[in-house]
Amino acid sequence: MNITGLKRRIADAMAQPDSVGAMQRWLESRLPALHPSIRVENNQVETLYRFARAYIEQVPDVLEAAAAVAQAAHLRERMLPVLKVAEAFFLQPPDLPSEHKGLIMLLDEAYLAHRLVEEVNDRYVANGIAPLIPMDTTRANLIVHQLMGEGFANQLDTAVETAVSGLLPEDLFQSEPFRAYQASQDPAQVRRLWTQWPCMSRQLGVEIELRGAA
């Protein structure tokens, strides 16, 4: 995987003042459309910018970690094509709105990559095993979904679901390597991993308030 290329592309966009300013103005324009359940700490635009920046910057680390787990589970041959799709979403994205440039475009691409990992995790959980990557991006993905708008975000979700269904069929989870990996999992180690990957959105001062929660 071209992790170096991913990081270089992110660094180049972050280094452009015009791109940073455009992202901040775009985030400010999106604030009124956010669902009331999304809470942003003081200085909303700056907090959302820090959140979006971290969301983008974590893509290479998440994909690199997923590849390492797949290697350890002897599933690299089956998982690498899925992760390469996530990489391609970032380096060679599908058609995106023409007005989405610089960091805004990277946010679209990061959403595709994070959502793909989330879909893979969901399939792992559905087959009785801990997520491939013990990182809670579910709420962060929901927040970015809101920022992008329902219609456009749903189009990206469809692209992700189509990719995963084609590359990660159910028979993978019945294979001997997967079953051996499942049997080797140490619940205590899984819990330790989860503590290293806390909820991204909560860390960065953006949260979803679940109605009826205590």
Side-chain angles (χ1 to χ4, degrees):
M1 295 185 66
N2 188 10
I3 298 298
T4 300
L6 292 174
K7 291 182 177 180
R8 185 184 303 116
R9 184 152 186 266
I10 293 169
D12 288 347
M14 297 290 184
Q16 297 177 16
D18 290 347
S19 182
V20 172
M23 167 68 96
Q24 292 173 328
R25 290 189 296 273
W26 180 78
L27 289 170
E28 186 173 17
S29 74
R30 299 301 301 158
L31 275 171
L34 290 183
H35 192 277
S37 64
I38 296 177
R39 299 198 321 272
V40 184
E41 290 181 356
N42 295 335
N43 198 346
Q44 293 180 313
V45 173
E46 179 59 29
T47 298
L48 278 177
Y49 172 71
R50 286 190 293 105
F51 163 79
R53 179 171 177 146
Y55 186 86
I56 293 167
E57 289 177 330
Q58 290 209 6
V59 169
D61 293 336
V62 169
L63 296 184
E64 193 170 33
V69 172
Q71 179 74 34
H74 306 292
L75 296 173
R76 182 176 175 81
E77 183 178 342
R78 299 296 295 271
M79 284 301 304
L80 189 59
V82 180
L83 299 177
K84 291 292 285 184
V85 168
E87 178 187 79
F89 277 152
F90 209 86
L91 292 177
Q92 299 170 322
D95 290 338
L96 299 171
S98 59
E99 66 271 20
H100 284 200
K101 300 176 182 178
L103 288 176
I104 303 173
M105 179 186 290
L106 285 186
L107 185 64
D108 297 342
E109 297 162 11
Y111 179 77
L112 284 163
H114 281 302
R115 279 286 292 115
L116 188 140
V117 171
E118 183 183 13
E119 284 291 321
V120 171
N121 276 347
D122 287 348
R123 282 162 170 74
Y124 268 58
V125 171
N127 284 276
I129 196 168
L132 176 69
I133 296 298
M135 182 178 187
D136 183 4
T137 60
T138 301
R139 294 189 179 196
N141 289 340
L142 287 171
I143 291 164
V144 176
H145 184 107
Q146 277 279 306
L147 285 170
M148 292 189 300
E150 193 76 14
F152 177 52
N154 286 343
Q155 292 177 33
L156 299 186
D157 287 339
T158 297
V160 167
E161 290 161 9
T162 300
V164 174
S165 296
L167 292 169
L168 199 64
E170 284 300 315
D171 65 350
L172 168 66
F173 300 103
Q174 307 306 319
S175 66
E176 289 186 12
F178 184 84
R179 290 303 180 192
Y181 170 63
Q182 184 180 32
S184 71
Q185 292 302 287
D186 177 1
Q189 174 65 15
V190 171
R191 285 194 295 272
R192 284 194 293 272
L193 285 171
W194 272 103
T195 63
Q196 297 172 28
W197 296 84
C199 175
M200 182 196 302
S201 62
R202 188 176 300 120
Q203 272 190 306
L204 296 169
V206 184
E207 184 58 284
I208 296 179
E209 186 177 77
L210 300 178
R211 300 301 181 188

